[in-house]
Amino acid sequence: MKQKVISLKGVWAGYGNNNVIEDINFSVKKGDFVGIIGPNGGGKSTLLKVILGLITPYKGEVKVMGLPPEEGREFVGWVPQESDMDRDFPIKVLDVVLMGRMGRKKLLRSYSKEDKNKASEALEMVGLQNIAQKPIGEISLGQRQRVYIARALAKDPEILLLDEPLASVDPNTSEVIYGLLKDLNESSAITIVMVTHDVGAVSSYVKSVGCLNRKLYYYDEKTLTQGMIDAAYHCPVDLIAHGVPHRVLPKINQEETKR
Amino acid sequence: MKQKVISLKGVWAGYGNNNVIEDINFSVKKGDFVGIIGPNGGGKSTLLKVILGLITPYKGEVKVMGLPPEEGREFVGWVPQESDMDRDFPIKVLDVVLMGRMGRKKLLRSYSKEDKNKASEALEMVGLQNIAQKPIGEISLGQRQRVYIARALAKDPEILLLDEPLASVDPNTSEVIYGLLKDLNESSAITIVMVTHDVGAVSSYVKSVGCLNRKLYYYDEKTLTQGMIDAAYHCPVDLIAHGVPHRVLPKINQEETKR
Amino acid sequence: MIEALQFDFMRNALLAGLLISVACGIVGTFVVTKRIVFLSGSIAHAAYGGIGLGYFLGFNPLLGAFAFSLAAAVGMSAIQRRARERSDTLIGALWAIGMAVGIILIDLSGGYKADLMSYLFGSILMIPQEDLWLLLALDLGIMLLVWLFYKELVALSFDETFSTVQNIPVGKIHTLLVTMTALTVVMMMRMVGLIMVIALLTMPAAISGQFAKSLKKMMVLASILGALFILSGLWLSYWLNLTSGACIILVAGVSYLASLAIKNLI
Amino acid sequence: MIEALQFDFMRNALLAGLLISVACGIVGTFVVTKRIVFLSGSIAHAAYGGIGLGYFLGFNPLLGAFAFSLAAAVGMSAIQRRARERSDTLIGALWAIGMAVGIILIDLSGGYKADLMSYLFGSILMIPQEDLWLLLALDLGIMLLVWLFYKELVALSFDETFSTVQNIPVGKIHTLLVTMTALTVVMMMRMVGLIMVIALLTMPAAISGQFAKSLKKMMVLASILGALFILSGLWLSYWLNLTSGACIILVAGVSYLASLAIKNLI
Amino acid sequence: MKGKVAGLFLFFSLIIFVLLSPIAGWASQEEKLLVAASILPQRYFIERIADQKVQIEIMVPPGANPATYEPKPSQLVSLSRASLYFAIGVPFEKAYLGRFFQINKNMVVVDTSEGISKIPISSIHDLTNGENGKSHGHEHSQGELDPHIWLSPRLVKIQAQNIQRALSSADPQNTKSYQKNLKRFLKELDELDEEIRGKLSETKGKKFMVFHPSWGYFARDYGLDMIPIEVEGSEPSAAELAKIISIAQKEKIRIIITQPEFPSRSAKVIAQEVGCRVVPISPLAPNWRENLLLLGDTLAEALKDNSREETKP
Ligand SMILES: Nc1ncnc2c1ncn2[C@@H]1O[C@H](COP(=O)(O)OP(=O)(O)OP(=O)(O)O)[C@@H](O)[C@H]1O
Ligand SMILES: Nc1ncnc2c1ncn2[C@@H]1O[C@H](COP(=O)(O)OP(=O)(O)OP(=O)(O)O)[C@@H](O)[C@H]1O
Ligand SMILES: [Mg+2]
Ligand SMILES: [Mg+2]
Ligand SMILES: [Zn+2]
């Protein structure tokens, strides 16, 4: 059996005293490509933040590469859905990508030639080599999103956590980046967890899929069906869990029998 | 002939001394539903800002409802691609939507019952009535994007300018909102200009389409083809303009002969 | 404490405290949410330039301080909107330039100088009766303006670009806000001292901001808290025989830190 | 001017000016980009609490001021990171509480107080020779720290959440930055006065930020500008016989406003 | 890029402008002995003794605030060349004398208060003697000595002698002249002392209030009782203010002397409660003699009024 790179056991988490995700049991093995879908406010970004150790869960256990998330995130590249970054800051796109190369291990050392090469390569992968020298405040939103992707790639991560990485990226570039992710996943065995609303992409690229709406419905194979999507988006979670009849449930059953 | 609600003549615009869009000639008639596509950094958001009078063009003339944009924007509802808003601000979702009801005319007056009803309705249209009383800082990004849409709708605008309004919105809600836009456009003759990367939506909902990549290629009917998209995304603009042979050009010509 | 009330100055102080907390609660709410606390400290020092100008040109220095602060506030607001400069940098520059102008003008005007800084600072125990009327006028003025322009002020503080698109006169409303702040700071500084103005602008509003979910509630709660702090601070200062201003600030400060702790524990 | 160089105090002032502009250029760049200008003003006033403590407990008030400012900076940085409070509110509170503590402690310690504030403020014309060494040490210390932690400092100022995820010791780096600022402010305040510290931290960095596209260049340009301002300000003050600090600030201020105008015209 | 060029142009033009400007004339050397002192009344004393033979630089203007105090270049140029610094023991010197000495290490610092036995500075606690539980005030105030020694003609006589001695040893050629002037000045001081004594002969034991307790030696010399409002250098707290007002009412205070350098809000508050006059008289006025006479007249008038109204002997 392959190594579990991410594992969540009975995790409850949220903000203040507002619980957002409930009883999440979820594990990702090395080389997986997991797509996570779900309605707005379903808790997808929250789940990623829990895995990154940015939010401490109320209950349950989180392990990344077998370590607590604060240490495990060493190996994780993260593309945030939205960033705190200061757009007025005098810094060039390439230097932002270079930040992906930074970590606790390298305190006191400045960027090496290799770091710079990696950063340039990552920028090239997302098709932004021509704006490497632009100040970060002077690029469009879609370009900025691609910069975040490059920053995560520059880290050479074991795990990529992507939170709607291509939401504002144009379709041609999206396709290139999806291809790139697929390639990284297949040839370098990089584990990928991607939150997305792009159902088409989920069916074409990911290997397994989870639907998150307070609770997580995880399908260990790539079995995304219209029914599952409908279920995750529409259904009161309890209905599904208890097998009560429902407009879309039959469809799921239909699809599942096909397997 | 129908009234021109937006008209740009020979507009050049950009930031500082960095010219971003060139020689834009573009007019939108009452009741149009224009989709604008184009690569990241193509200048789509810039174009909308020019129409709103947030950026003063270097050259050319902009009219909105026959007025200069600073006055014409009175009649425009705008959904920004990203917002300056202060997320720590103590304000509820409903109150944010209420801001859509505000304008120069109503200085010194506080919100009326009607304003509040409109705001609630708008919130309901985007499916957020249940979080109306949440603080704006405590909702997810997709929910926030829907709040922007509601804010623009609450204004009862003549024109809607939407800048990737559904980029982080889940597919089920997206479909509802697209339907809503279509309805507004058809039954209330609200003019809509929508920037989007969702090529599928463009083909299903809009009436005409423009491709923007520094220059604007505008097709007055709904004639979006793979060729056109490829052209806008890939081609050096000059190639297209000068009719030099190109992999995708024949397709465009094919489509255009159909008209 | 009751015995203290036989003195006019104590009665005045209590009354002034109530009036001050209203203005500070309302203006402070905007100051905190719009993140212009620094402006309040800066206006006070820029006022020094006005004192210098008054001395140099031979008119009432206090009038100069007043005019200068308002001019500085309006000018700064204009520059900030035009040049899109980081506001705290601009405010810092205003602070330094205002003081420098004051020092040089006073240098140039020669003759006998009083300690001009102390013109700017007062104590809550020494508020003359007339100033209470001034405070009342300030309170009423602020309440009226905020009531009239409430939704515009909120919109501006929340999202400036959108307010522009909504055709709110963003420049004017911004100037209104900054002017209101400057006016409050300059007037109160003269009555209760600069540190207390800063304390009363920030801490009640900050505490109430942790609990209130809307701006209106925040203002009301901040005003009430401000009044509580002033009353208990005065009482403490009378009881322990300590400087009143410092006591009031300490009461507010301890409450603020406690509220932060509470918010983080729950 | 050449004749002025025969005086020790003038030579010291020039030398000090060069040393100061390096520290201010480097620290000021972070102060401006991280928007903590207000912190510099606040630290200075919080230092007053330390003076009070020194008086009360009977040790050197200057030492108290130093310790208090650093403690305040570190404490504030910790609270801010833990409570996610708006930083300028917190800084304003720090300012007021620091002063209040100082006033009360001095009250309590009794005795007739000379103007304690005068311990905190100096003039560039009166910098003792030894202090030049101190300044040099400060410059070298800052340069070393910034060189060692450059990429972490940049990352933190730019995007704190991402820095956390990258396992940068965000808390420590933040404390380092705030401490460096506090140290610079407290030391320089004693040498050149508070207003000049604020002016030299903000204006050269702000001007250079309008032209420099990277942080490193911004630091270098800010240092050069700072030195130019100090030199020409000293010149002007000698020539016109005006207060040096105010002249330096005015030169910087006029240049800053000019740079804003230039930037907006082109 | 255009901006960068324009910016640099601006700075350089500024510098060139300054470079080409005429060199100032104020720093011109004179062959007179240069001496420095802290406060303005000292200029009067030194001038009476030196009589144009020395150039005097006063370092602290009245009302200097530590937050903004900064000597001008011209003052420091003089200081660099000064042979003597006449210290008088004002608090300012504690913070700045060291820095002045840094600038001119050859300068001899003369303590003009030598030979004067200072009295403790008076404080409101002297009157109430810690009845309020704040006993430390009294203990401490014993240690603090009143620095306002220039406000008593008798003490000025001692200072004048100190000044003459220092001038003579720094500038021996003119010793004769200094001694002659000293003699004349001492006589003037005696006359002044007599004059004020005459004005205040009928007000012995009367009480007056001051904001800052500057006039302790003056009050002692002329048999008056000074009640300060300021408590150990800071404005009174609420309780103290209440106490002061009660005292003022009990003692039927008729006049409060304030300093024009500082706002006198607390004095006004008390005056309002008690109904008395507030008169600003500066302890730092440059025309020292007239200023003391003015105070004498003012007090004589105010306190005489007081005695007339009082029925009890
Ligand atoms: N604030 C700014 N200052 C300077 N240049 C900018 C600024 N914003 C955008 N640009 C530049 O203008 C160009 C067009 O940007 P714009 O935001 O209009 O693109 P867009 O078509 O909306 O892209 P996207 O699909 O990524 O949203 C980009 O090349 C970008 O680098
Ligand atoms: N900072 C916050 N404070 C309090 N509540 C929050 C905060 N951020 C999110 N929430 C709440 O947590 C829930 C889940 O938010 P989350 O951002 O994880 O959703 P999401 O699945 O990522 O949605 P989207 O598709 O819109 O990105 C939402 O209901 C939201 O209201
Ligand atoms: Mg999300
Ligand atoms: Mg865009
Ligand atoms: Zn004194």
Side-chain angles (χ1 to χ4, degrees):
Chain A
M1 210 186 105
K2 279 193 203 152
Q3 186 198 349
K4 275 189 192 165
V5 292
I6 300 175
S7 101
L8 280 79
K9 281 190 199 129
V11 170
W12 296 60
Y15 304 86
N17 41 20
N18 167 23
N19 191 64
V20 168
I21 50 177
E22 283 177 19
D23 193 26
I24 306 288
N25 290 291
F26 176 49
S27 66
V28 181
K29 300 208 191 77
K30 190 166 171 59
D32 278 1
F33 191 152
V34 183
I36 293 184
I37 59 169
N40 292 135
K44 303 180 294 298
S45 303
T46 308
L47 177 66
L48 293 198
K49 284 183 194 153
V50 167
I51 296 175
L52 285 163
L54 291 174
I55 295 176
T56 312
Y58 305 134
K59 268 203 289 195
E61 194 200 44
V62 183
K63 291 273 180 202
V64 178
M65 306 293 288
L67 300 166
E70 284 78 13
E71 295 168 33
R73 65 189 174 203
E74 186 86 43
F75 309 98
V76 180
W78 177 47
V79 177
Q81 190 177 15
E82 65 180 329
S83 168
D84 284 356
M85 67 180 213
D86 177 3
R87 295 188 57 195
D88 288 337
F89 203 82
I91 190 168
K92 286 174 204 151
V93 166
L94 183 63
D95 293 324
V96 173
V97 176
L98 255 178
M99 283 184 194
R101 300 292 303 164
M102 191 170 29
R104 182 175 282 162
K105 292 271 162 63
K106 295 194 198 142
L107 212 65
L108 297 183
R109 286 214 261 129
S110 54
Y111 295 119
S112 65
K113 190 88 203 153
E114 191 204 335
D115 291 330
K116 282 173 191 159
N117 288 342
K118 290 265 182 201
S120 297
E121 272 169 37
L123 213 47
E124 212 162 316
M125 286 182 192
V126 300
L128 293 182
Q129 61 278 20
N130 57 329
I131 58 162
Q133 300 301 321
K134 267 209 174 187
I136 193 75
E138 301 185 3
I139 64 176
S140 79
L141 182 63
Q143 289 170 334
R144 216 153 66 227
Q145 235 172 346
R146 285 149 67 178
V147 172
Y148 303 155
I149 299 173
R151 183 172 67 170
L153 293 175
K155 194 173 181 179
D156 261 346
E158 303 278 324
I159 305 169
L160 270 172
L161 295 185
L162 312 171
D163 199 349
E164 303 194 21
L166 300 165
S168 306
V169 176
D170 63 54
N172 291 40
T173 312
S174 289
E175 219 153 300
V176 173
I177 294 177
Y178 277 131
L180 179 75
L181 291 178
K182 192 171 174 153
D183 200 48
L184 285 172
N185 177 248
E186 284 171 4
S187 55
S188 320
I190 291 178
T191 315
I192 301 180
V193 177
M194 179 169 71
V195 171
T196 186
H197 291 304
D198 186 345
V199 181
V202 172
S203 12
S204 333
Y205 298 101
V206 309
K207 294 179 185 165
S208 59
V209 73
C211 303
L212 184 63
N213 190 3
R214 290 193 78 86
K215 294 195 179 170
L216 181 70
Y217 304 91
Y218 185 59
Y219 304 86
D220 213 352
E221 273 166 73
K222 185 183 164 182
T223 55
L224 186 74
T225 63
Q226 188 55 42
M228 271 165 55
I229 297 172
D230 282 358
Y233 285 117
H234 282 309
C235 294
V237 259
D238 285 326
L239 280 188
I240 300 177
H242 300 132
V244 178
H246 185 271
R247 181 175 68 84
V248 296
L249 279 181
K251 279 195 207 161
I252 291 188
N253 294 339
Q254 268 173 26
E255 297 287 333
E256 276 180 345
T257 49
K258 279 189 199 166
R259 277 200 277 167
Chain B
M1 211 187 103
K2 276 190 204 153
Q3 187 197 350
K4 276 190 193 167
V5 291
I6 302 175
S7 102
L8 280 78
K9 282 192 198 127
V11 170
W12 297 60
Y15 305 86
N17 42 22
N18 167 23
N19 192 63
V20 168
I21 50 177
E22 283 177 19
D23 193 26
I24 306 288
N25 289 291
F26 176 50
S27 66
V28 181
K29 301 210 190 76
K30 189 164 172 59
D32 278 1
F33 192 153
V34 183
I36 293 184
I37 59 169
N40 292 135
K44 304 180 293 300
S45 302
T46 308
L47 177 66
L48 294 199
K49 285 184 195 152
V50 168
I51 297 174
L52 285 162
L54 291 174
I55 295 176
T56 312
Y58 305 134
K59 268 204 290 196
E61 194 200 46
V62 183
K63 291 273 179 201
V64 177
M65 306 292 288
L67 301 166
E70 285 77 14
E71 295 170 32
R73 66 189 173 202
E74 186 86 41
F75 308 98
V76 179
W78 177 46
V79 177
Q81 190 176 15
E82 64 181 330
S83 169
D84 284 355
M85 66 179 212
D86 177 2
R87 294 188 57 198
D88 289 338
F89 203 84
I91 190 169
K92 287 175 206 150
V93 166
L94 183 64
D95 292 325
V96 174
V97 176
L98 255 178
M99 282 183 194
R101 300 293 303 166
M102 192 169 31
R104 179 174 283 159
K105 292 272 163 61
K106 295 195 199 140
L107 211 65
L108 298 182
R109 285 215 261 129
S110 53
Y111 295 118
S112 64
K113 191 88 203 150
E114 191 203 339
D115 291 330
K116 282 172 191 160
N117 288 342
K118 289 264 179 200
S120 299
E121 272 169 36
L123 212 47
E124 211 161 319
M125 286 181 191
V126 299
L128 293 183
Q129 61 280 19
N130 58 328
I131 59 163
Q133 299 301 321
K134 269 210 172 188
I136 192 75
E138 301 185 4
I139 65 177
S140 79
L141 182 63
Q143 290 170 332
R144 215 154 65 228
Q145 233 172 347
R146 283 149 67 178
V147 172
Y148 303 154
I149 299 173
R151 184 173 66 172
L153 293 176
K155 193 174 183 178
D156 260 346
E158 302 279 325
I159 305 169
L160 270 172
L161 296 185
L162 313 172
D163 199 349
E164 300 192 25
L166 300 166
S168 305
V169 177
D170 62 56
N172 290 41
T173 311
S174 288
E175 219 153 299
V176 172
I177 293 178
Y178 277 132
L180 179 75
L181 291 178
K182 192 170 173 152
D183 200 49
L184 284 172
N185 177 248
E186 284 171 3
S187 55
S188 321
I190 291 179
T191 315
I192 301 180
V193 177
M194 179 169 72
V195 171
T196 187
H197 290 305
D198 186 346
V199 180
V202 172
S203 13
S204 334
Y205 297 101
V206 309
K207 294 180 184 165
S208 58
V209 74
C211 304
L212 184 62
N213 189 4
R214 291 194 75 87
K215 294 194 177 169
L216 181 71
Y217 303 91
Y218 185 59
Y219 304 87
D220 213 353
E221 273 166 73
K222 185 183 163 184
T223 54
L224 187 73
T225 62
Q226 188 55 42
M228 272 165 53
I229 297 171
D230 283 358
Y233 285 116
H234 282 307
C235 295
V237 259
D238 284 326
L239 281 188
I240 301 177
H242 299 133
V244 177
H246 183 274
R247 181 174 67 85
V248 297
L249 278 181
K251 281 194 204 159
I252 290 188
N253 293 339
Q254 268 174 25
E255 297 289 333
E256 277 180 344
T257 49
K258 280 189 197 161
R259 277 201 276 166
Chain C
M1 193 67 187
I2 304 302
E3 120 221 15
L5 288 179
Q6 66 183 287
F7 295 105
D8 271 353
F9 78 87
M10 215 52 194
R11 282 197 301 271
N12 281 357
L14 287 176
L15 247 167
L18 290 179
L19 292 172
I20 287 168
S21 52
V22 171
C24 280
I26 297 176
V27 175
T29 297
F30 285 112
V31 163
V32 165
T33 51
K34 188 112 179 66
R35 296 156 206 261
I36 50 174
V37 176
F38 188 20
L39 183 71
S40 37
S42 178
I43 287 290
H45 288 84
Y48 195 75
I51 293 202
L53 198 69
Y55 253 69
F56 188 64
L57 298 181
F59 57 85
N60 185 352
L62 265 175
L63 201 73
F66 228 78
F68 211 81
S69 307
L70 292 188
V74 171
M76 206 208 57
S77 144
I79 294 178
Q80 193 190 341
R81 290 185 31 70
R82 196 112 359 131
R84 306 223 146 268
E85 181 72 358
R86 292 182 188 85
S87 70
D88 74 327
T89 305
L90 209 54
I91 294 172
L94 169 70
W95 175 341
I97 296 175
M99 286 273 315
V101 167
I103 291 172
I104 286 190
L105 284 177
I106 288 166
D107 252 21
L108 286 179
S109 53
Y112 185 87
K113 293 139 210 160
D115 176 3
L116 299 177
M117 276 300 253
S118 57
Y119 265 102
L120 284 177
F121 300 109
S123 148
I124 192 169
L125 294 181
M126 285 145 211
I127 296 182
Q129 199 98 39
E130 312 88 75
D131 282 11
L132 291 181
W133 292 107
L134 218 61
L135 269 179
L136 187 67
L138 180 74
D139 275 358
L140 292 178
I142 287 175
M143 285 196 281
L144 183 72
L145 285 172
V146 169
W147 181 69
L148 284 178
F149 298 104
Y150 182 75
K151 65 186 204 303
E152 282 79 16
L153 285 166
V154 172
L156 177 78
S157 310
F158 176 62
D159 186 341
E160 190 163 326
T161 311
F162 184 76
S163 304
T164 311
V165 171
Q166 287 291 77
N167 270 346
I168 294 169
V170 167
K172 285 185 198 128
I173 298 289
H174 191 262
T175 305
L176 172 71
L177 178 58
V178 175
T179 308
M180 228 159 57
T181 311
L183 211 63
T184 308
V185 170
V186 177
M187 270 187 64
M188 300 220 164
M189 179 171 74
R190 166 124 179 89
M191 296 179 197
V192 301
L194 173 63
I195 348 165
M196 200 157 126
V197 176
I198 292 178
L200 286 178
L201 279 177
T202 50
M203 292 193 276
I207 298 173
S208 85
Q210 277 159 20
F211 304 107
K213 296 283 180 213
S214 91
L215 218 61
K216 251 178 215 152
K217 282 186 200 138
M218 193 168 156
M219 287 177 188
V220 174
L221 185 56
S223 299
I224 294 172
L225 284 175
L228 274 181
F229 294 154
I230 293 180
L231 293 191
S232 44
L234 272 177
W235 177 75
L236 210 67
S237 104
Y238 195 82
W239 179 44
L240 296 175
N241 193 21
L242 292 171
T243 311
S244 322
C247 281
I248 294 172
I249 295 166
L250 269 196
V251 171
V254 169
S255 313
Y256 175 58
L257 294 179
S259 83
L260 281 180
I262 288 169
K263 189 191 160 206
N264 269 50
L265 289 181
I266 56 167
Chain D
M1 192 63 186
I2 304 303
E3 128 223 8
L5 289 179
Q6 67 183 283
F7 297 107
D8 267 355
F9 76 87
M10 218 49 195
R11 283 200 300 271
N12 280 359
L14 286 176
L15 247 166
L18 290 178
L19 293 172
I20 287 168
S21 53
V22 172
C24 281
I26 297 175
V27 174
T29 297
F30 285 112
V31 163
V32 165
T33 53
K34 188 115 178 65
R35 297 158 206 259
I36 49 174
V37 176
F38 188 21
L39 183 71
S40 35
S42 179
I43 287 290
H45 288 83
Y48 196 72
I51 292 202
L53 198 69
Y55 250 67
F56 188 64
L57 298 181
F59 58 88
N60 185 351
L62 259 179
L63 201 73
F66 228 79
F68 212 81
S69 306
L70 293 189
V74 171
M76 204 207 57
S77 145
I79 294 179
Q80 194 190 340
R81 289 185 32 66
R82 195 111 1 128
R84 306 221 146 271
E85 180 72 359
R86 291 181 188 86
S87 70
D88 74 326
T89 305
L90 209 53
I91 294 172
L94 169 70
W95 176 342
I97 296 174
M99 279 296 278
V101 167
I103 290 172
I104 285 189
L105 284 176
I106 289 167
D107 246 27
L108 285 179
S109 52
Y112 199 86
K113 298 113 206 167
D115 228 326
L116 295 178
M117 278 300 248
S118 60
Y119 277 102
L120 280 179
F121 297 109
S123 149
I124 192 169
L125 294 182
M126 293 195 292
I127 295 183
Q129 200 99 40
E130 311 89 75
D131 281 11
L132 291 181
W133 293 108
L134 217 63
L135 268 180
L136 187 66
L138 180 73
D139 275 359
L140 292 178
I142 286 174
M143 284 196 280
L144 183 73
L145 284 172
V146 169
W147 181 68
L148 284 177
F149 298 103
Y150 182 75
K151 64 186 202 308
E152 281 79 15
L153 285 166
V154 173
L156 177 77
S157 310
F158 175 63
D159 187 342
E160 192 164 324
T161 312
F162 185 75
S163 305
T164 311
V165 172
Q166 287 292 76
N167 270 346
I168 295 169
V170 168
K172 286 184 196 130
I173 298 289
H174 192 262
T175 305
L176 173 71
L177 178 58
V178 174
T179 309
M180 226 158 59
T181 311
L183 211 63
T184 308
V185 170
V186 178
M187 270 187 64
M188 301 223 163
M189 182 170 71
R190 166 121 181 92
M191 296 180 199
V192 300
L194 173 64
I195 346 165
M196 202 159 125
V197 177
I198 292 178
L200 287 178
L201 278 178
T202 50
M203 292 194 276
I207 298 172
S208 87
Q210 278 160 19
F211 304 108
K213 296 283 182 213
S214 91
L215 218 61
K216 253 178 212 152
K217 281 188 199 137
M218 193 169 156
M219 286 176 190
V220 174
L221 185 55
S223 300
I224 295 173
L225 285 176
L228 275 181
F229 294 155
I230 293 180
L231 294 191
S232 42
L234 275 175
W235 228 292
L236 212 66
S237 106
Y238 190 83
W239 174 43
L240 299 174
N241 192 24
L242 292 171
T243 313
S244 325
C247 282
I248 294 171
I249 295 166
L250 268 197
V251 171
V254 169
S255 311
Y256 174 60
L257 293 180
S259 83
L260 281 180
I262 288 168
K263 188 191 161 206
N264 268 51
L265 288 181
I266 56 167
Chain E
M1 198 55 222
K2 232 195 300 172
K4 209 180 276 181
V5 173
L8 286 180
F9 173 76
L10 188 93
F11 303 135
F12 284 119
S13 54
L14 188 83
I15 285 168
I16 287 164
F17 164 73
V18 173
L19 265 176
L20 294 181
S21 61
I23 295 300
W26 49 261
S28 66
Q29 280 111 325
E30 284 177 48
E31 283 314 309
K32 279 185 191 171
L33 182 70
L34 238 168
V35 302
S38 295
I39 54 172
L40 277 172
Q42 286 180 289
R43 178 190 288 277
Y44 181 86
F45 307 153
I46 299 169
E47 267 172 357
R48 297 309 292 158
I49 296 165
D51 195 23
Q52 311 291 324
K53 291 207 172 52
V54 301
Q55 196 185 324
I56 306 163
E57 190 68 49
I58 297 298
M59 296 308 295
V60 200
N65 179 296
T68 57
Y69 172 72
E70 212 190 325
K72 292 183 200 166
S74 63
Q75 285 179 306
L76 290 180
V77 166
S78 303
L79 196 72
S80 307
R81 294 185 179 136
S83 323
L84 298 174
Y85 190 100
F86 290 108
I88 193 167
V90 284
F92 163 88
E93 290 169 357
K94 240 198 237 169
Y96 284 95
L97 214 48
R99 297 188 203 188
F100 292 162
F101 186 66
Q102 285 287 339
I103 285 169
N104 179 355
K105 296 205 171 71
N106 299 322
M107 186 170 66
V108 177
V109 175
V110 181
D111 177 12
T112 58
S113 70
E114 200 186 311
I116 294 176
S117 58
K118 292 183 186 170
I119 56 171
I121 199 157
S122 58
S123 148
I124 187 70
H125 299 306
D126 299 345
L127 296 162
T128 54
N129 264 332
E131 66 188 39
N132 193 38
K134 192 181 171 181
S135 59
H136 63 266
H138 187 71
E139 293 151 24
H140 279 268
S141 65
Q142 306 222 309
E144 298 293 338
L145 297 175
D146 189 347
H148 304 93
I149 52 172
W150 66 92
L151 295 173
S152 146
R154 277 197 234 161
L155 298 184
V156 170
K157 282 170 75 178
I158 304 176
Q159 293 167 58
Q161 283 159 1
N162 289 335
I163 291 170
Q164 183 269 328
R165 223 173 296 131
L167 284 175
S168 297
S169 60
D171 180 20
Q173 292 132 304
N174 288 319
T175 305
K176 279 239 172 66
S177 154
Y178 295 147
Q179 280 169 342
K180 199 181 89 211
N181 292 341
L182 172 69
K183 214 177 261 166
R184 192 189 63 208
F185 185 38
L186 290 178
K187 204 166 131 245
E188 277 173 24
L189 288 172
D190 281 333
E191 284 163 13
L192 177 68
D193 189 35
E194 274 312 308
E195 197 176 345
I196 298 173
R197 198 172 302 281
K199 288 179 197 298
L200 296 174
S201 57
E202 291 167 33
T203 61
K204 286 250 154 49
K206 294 275 160 20
K207 294 188 168 72
F208 67 104
M209 267 192 175
V210 295
F211 174 70
H212 177 69
S214 310
W215 305 98
Y217 295 103
F218 186 92
R220 178 191 67 178
D221 284 1
Y222 304 110
L224 298 168
D225 203 345
M226 176 186 78
I227 303 172
I229 292 170
E230 201 184 51
V231 182
E232 292 169 340
S234 25
E235 298 234 18
S237 68
E240 283 159 352
L241 196 58
K243 204 172 303 152
I244 293 167
I245 290 171
S246 319
I247 292 168
Q249 279 164 342
K250 200 177 80 209
E251 303 285 350
K252 299 206 166 54
I253 294 295
R254 302 250 99 216
I255 187 165
I256 303 176
I257 306 288
T258 58
Q259 266 174 266
E261 293 88 5
F262 302 107
S264 42
R265 277 180 279 260
S266 48
K268 281 197 193 112
V269 166
I270 295 166
Q272 235 165 30
E273 301 254 6
V274 184
C276 66
R277 287 168 64 201
V278 176
V279 181
I281 294 181
S282 172
L284 292 171
N287 49 347
W288 176 79
R289 186 169 176 276
E290 285 75 27
N291 196 48
L292 284 197
L293 286 172
L294 174 68
L295 178 68
D297 284 335
T298 311
L299 285 179
E301 196 199 312
L303 300 180
K304 229 183 265 161
D305 267 351
N306 190 1
S307 60
R308 215 178 288 146
E309 276 168 32
E310 261 181 316
T311 43
K312 271 193 274 176

